[in-house]
Amino acid sequence: GEDVEQSLFLSVREGDSSVINCTYTDSSSTYLYWYKQEPGAGLQLLTYIFSNMDMKQDQRLTVLLNKKDKHLSLRIADTQTGDSAIYFCAETLGSSNTGKLIFGQGTTLQVKP
Amino acid sequence: ETGVTQSPTHLIKTRGQQVTLRCSSQSGHNTVSWYQQALGQGPQFIFQYYREEENGRGNFPPRFSGLQFPNYSSELNVNALELDDSALYLCASSPLERNTEAFFGQGTRLTVV
């Protein structure tokens, strides 16, 4: 079945780059997503990548996709204290993009001043 | 601000009771999905509604049911509440024509005692 795995915790210093990694199992997933969740809040869509792309850049965010290894990463450049949150990787359920998502367990990013 | 609103924000229920959670979708979005997020976990897909019909279901028992109304607002009903139903319940809306983006509400925190 579908499964998404993430490391649980990452700590960086303000101004450094952060790299959050994710592996997934469903090779038929059409889109892969990164969401951010701050304490007590819902999920904020950060970015997504179509499965036929290798890379997508959006301001400070860079997404890399290695489809062969089923590995997805999110790089945050010049990490700020406001980036402290839980980051979730998600894949679409099945090959059709119906908006049904399978999430990882989340990576807590701690940014130290 | 995603335009997806959920009510109530917090709720305490007793084991065995029934609960109804509500979601108002973002304008123009005709698809709504519900997720359960247990503490320290990623969200898990419960089901999706499109044009008032269930359009896919995750691994949840029948005591989890839903409705979608003509104005695209939605309800999640849970019968015979169990302690393990304590979680954050998230609603996400998307236009089916462009399901690359699912926008989440802030969630309802349900505590079963």
Side-chain angles (χ1 to χ4, degrees):
Chain A
E2 302 88 0
D3 196 18
V4 178
E5 297 281 341
Q6 298 178 239
S7 53
L8 295 182
F9 186 78
L10 176 66
S11 180
V12 300
R13 292 232 172 255
E14 192 173 21
D16 288 349
S17 291
S18 307
V19 179
I20 302 171
N21 295 299
C22 167
T23 58
Y24 60 97
T25 57
D26 188 356
S27 58
S28 66
S29 292
T30 50
Y31 287 89
L32 294 132
Y33 298 81
W34 285 102
Y35 280 87
K36 175 183 179 183
Q37 186 175 39
E38 297 185 60
L43 300 178
Q44 175 193 352
L45 175 63
L46 289 177
T47 187
Y48 60 89
I49 187 167
F50 188 51
S51 57
N52 69 353
M53 298 170 64
D54 298 324
M55 187 184 87
K56 181 179 180 181
Q57 188 153 1
D58 185 0
Q59 299 183 332
R60 293 191 297 124
L61 305 178
T62 302
V63 178
L64 295 178
L65 175 60
N66 181 329
K67 200 172 180 183
K68 173 176 170 289
D69 294 338
K70 297 178 189 170
H71 182 266
L72 183 74
S73 68
L74 174 69
R75 179 178 180 269
I76 305 172
D78 187 25
T79 313
Q80 303 297 307
T81 54
D83 294 324
S84 293
I86 303 175
Y87 290 80
F88 291 95
C89 166
E91 62 173 345
T92 48
L93 179 60
S95 58
S96 58
N97 187 25
T98 57
K100 302 164 195 169
L101 303 176
I102 303 295
F103 285 85
Q105 70 271 44
T107 299
T108 298
L109 175 64
Q110 178 189 68
V111 182
K112 297 179 181 176
Chain B
E1 185 65 38
T2 64
V4 180
T5 56
Q6 294 186 241
S7 62
T9 54
H10 295 84
L11 198 53
I12 299 174
K13 287 286 191 178
T14 303
R15 188 172 48 183
Q17 284 188 313
Q18 178 265 343
V19 69
T20 298
L21 311 181
R22 294 179 175 83
C23 172
S24 176
S25 300
Q26 184 166 330
S27 176
H29 287 190
N30 54 18
T31 302
V32 65
S33 303
W34 285 91
Y35 292 81
Q36 180 195 66
Q37 186 180 18
L39 199 61
Q41 302 294 317
Q44 283 196 291
F45 175 71
I46 302 174
F47 45 55
Q48 184 184 82
Y49 277 80
Y50 169 63
R51 291 186 178 175
E52 303 173 53
E53 297 284 332
E54 189 177 288
N55 182 40
R57 188 179 185 92
N59 188 26
F60 281 81
R63 59 190 185 82
F64 286 77
S65 63
L67 282 173
Q68 186 183 30
F69 299 99
N71 64 357
Y72 304 134
S73 64
S74 176
E75 286 181 356
L76 164 66
N77 298 289
V78 187
N79 292 322
L81 283 166
E82 301 177 359
L83 297 180
D84 284 349
D85 295 332
S86 295
L88 181 69
Y89 287 85
L90 296 161
C91 159
S93 75
S94 55
L96 190 63
E97 299 79 15
R98 197 180 72 243
N99 263 324
T100 51
E101 300 178 6
F103 296 94
F104 283 78
Q106 82 284 9
T108 294
R109 173 73 62 188
L110 173 66
T111 303
V112 183
V113 297

